[in-house]
Amino acid sequence: MSSPLLPERLARAIALAGPMSLSQFMGAANAHYYATRDPLGAGGDFTTAPEISQMFGELVGLWGADLWDRAGRPDVAWVELGPGRGTLAADASRAMAKAGLTPSIHLVETSPTLRTAQAERVAGATWHDAVDTLPADRPLIVVANEFFDALPIRQLLRGADSWRERLVACQDLLFLPIAGPPVPDAVIPAPLRDAPPGSVLEISPASVAVIRQLARRLAAQGGALLVIDYGHEGPALGDTFQAVRGHAPANPYDAPGEQDLTAHVDFTTLAAAAQTEGAVAWGPVEQGEWLIRLGIDARAAALARTTPERGDAIAADRVRLVNDMGALFKVLGVTAPGWPRPAGF
């Protein structure tokens, strides 16, 4: 007998225990979504920067190689969180090798479908279900591109007289957001406590937990973390919970497990969380500016000289990465104490 579909399981859980937190809903939906498909590319739901152009992954790889060189060329492990199809890791590895860096490659990925795609592009990689099993005997250079935006969030809503947590209810397999019980004022950042009714505050305890764990590793072992994602410098108000399906916006409460659920990343909170564990935070800076500082214009010109028939396409890819995505996407660096200032910050 086959197991119930995810919407049916979520509906049953709500029927038995009452409305669930948005964090539970988002976590369950994304876990199923990523475990059951390759969501990338024209035939999927969205496209990430590494899939747009090889320039992106190459510059990330050179960023890591430059930092490794200035740190004294230690024996390091290269780690990517949520590595998609492995495109970034493959492009970064090729660029790092030209700079003399050939680290062991470690991919934190739980999806069997995506692990298969990654194995085709990244030879000799080691896979991990979580960061707990990453090497503990050497510095780590960790890349998280469009990883934190998919981690579960909580939403807190300002009512007429109090803040309340957003919950998800269900009726006849129709999922809808509702206001839950009041939350203590202490949960809300002081500058936002008197926000007008209707205001929404998003927090992501899951994101804070991951970056604190990584920062502890860096402080103990050495190394660096590069976070690239869309988001803002908080604290900020606003409902950014969203879904994309077939490269178009969708209702995030429809068809759980069949579309990508994301929310904007609060880079201020991530930086502060890393610093509480003794690591050093750099940025955030806008992705467009960061890529320019790393030399994307020179790389685009070199590619156009090598393949002149692709000159227009390369120029369009550069515009997409630097201009179209450049301001919304931010880049945060985190380094171990005593490590050099990373390029681009």
Side-chain angles (χ1 to χ4, degrees):
M1 182 177 177
S2 61
S3 61
L5 298 175
L6 179 65
E8 296 168 345
R9 297 202 305 270
L10 291 176
R12 179 168 174 77
I14 291 171
L16 291 173
M20 65 174 54
S21 71
L22 179 61
S23 177
Q24 290 174 286
F25 178 83
M26 183 178 179
N30 273 353
H32 178 85
Y33 175 80
Y34 282 103
T36 54
R37 76 207 68 211
D38 177 350
L40 295 159
D45 292 320
F46 59 90
T47 299
T48 59
E51 302 293 334
I52 292 172
S53 171
Q54 70 187 74
M55 295 185 289
F56 186 84
E58 290 171 346
L59 289 174
V60 170
L62 292 174
W63 175 89
D66 168 72
L67 189 59
W68 162 78
D69 180 62
R70 290 186 289 118
R73 300 196 163 206
D75 177 22
V76 299
W78 179 270
V79 177
E80 189 176 349
L81 310 181
R85 291 173 170 169
T87 304
L88 188 155
D91 291 339
S93 296
R94 185 176 63 254
M96 287 189 289
K98 292 181 178 178
L101 174 57
T102 55
S104 59
I105 306 295
H106 298 262
L107 305 178
V108 179
E109 178 63 69
T110 58
S111 166
T113 301
L114 291 175
R115 283 191 179 192
T116 299
Q118 293 154 15
E120 295 173 356
R121 293 167 175 80
V122 187
T126 300
W127 281 268
H128 303 262
D129 291 329
V131 300
D132 310 60
T133 57
L134 292 173
D137 60 348
R138 71 197 79 169
L140 306 176
I141 298 180
V142 185
V143 176
N145 178 64
E146 291 201 49
F147 171 79
F148 283 96
D149 64 89
L151 295 185
I153 62 163
R154 294 173 61 193
Q155 282 189 340
L156 305 175
L157 317 174
R158 176 64 177 171
D161 56 0
S162 65
W163 285 88
R164 296 173 179 269
E165 180 161 10
R166 173 162 283 167
L167 303 179
V168 179
C170 181
Q171 184 173 5
D172 299 326
L173 289 179
L174 176 65
F175 297 90
L176 66 160
I178 64 170
V183 298
D185 281 350
V187 173
I188 311 300
L192 305 179
R193 286 175 191 165
D194 293 326
S199 298
V200 178
L201 173 66
E202 295 176 341
I203 59 175
S204 179
S207 297
V208 170
V210 170
I211 201 164
R212 288 188 65 175
Q213 189 173 8
L214 289 168
R216 280 196 298 272
R217 286 291 200 103
L218 297 182
Q221 299 170 221
L225 164 65
L226 186 69
V227 178
I228 307 172
D229 226 313
Y230 52 87
H232 56 266
E233 295 182 61
L237 296 172
D239 182 353
T240 72
F241 182 50
Q242 59 195 301
V244 63
R245 190 173 190 180
H247 298 269
N251 182 335
Y253 298 97
D254 286 348
E258 300 303 318
Q259 52 193 10
D260 181 42
L261 301 182
T262 64
H264 286 204
V265 173
D266 180 350
F267 282 90
T268 303
T269 294
L270 291 188
Q275 289 169 320
T276 64
E277 300 296 336
V280 182
W282 307 89
V285 299
E286 293 183 352
Q287 175 180 294
E289 181 62 29
W290 186 79
L291 290 171
I292 289 171
R293 291 174 183 174
L294 262 62
I296 192 172
D297 292 330
R299 182 58 182 141
L303 283 174
R305 286 193 300 270
T306 305
T307 55
E309 71 280 2
R310 294 190 60 245
D312 289 346
I314 292 167
D317 291 343
R318 184 260 178 211
V319 167
R320 216 171 149 188
L321 292 172
V322 172
N323 299 96
D324 298 347
M325 300 170 65
L328 176 59
F329 279 72
K330 309 289 191 303
V331 186
L332 174 70
V334 177
T335 57
W339 269 59
R341 183 189 189 102
F345 295 98

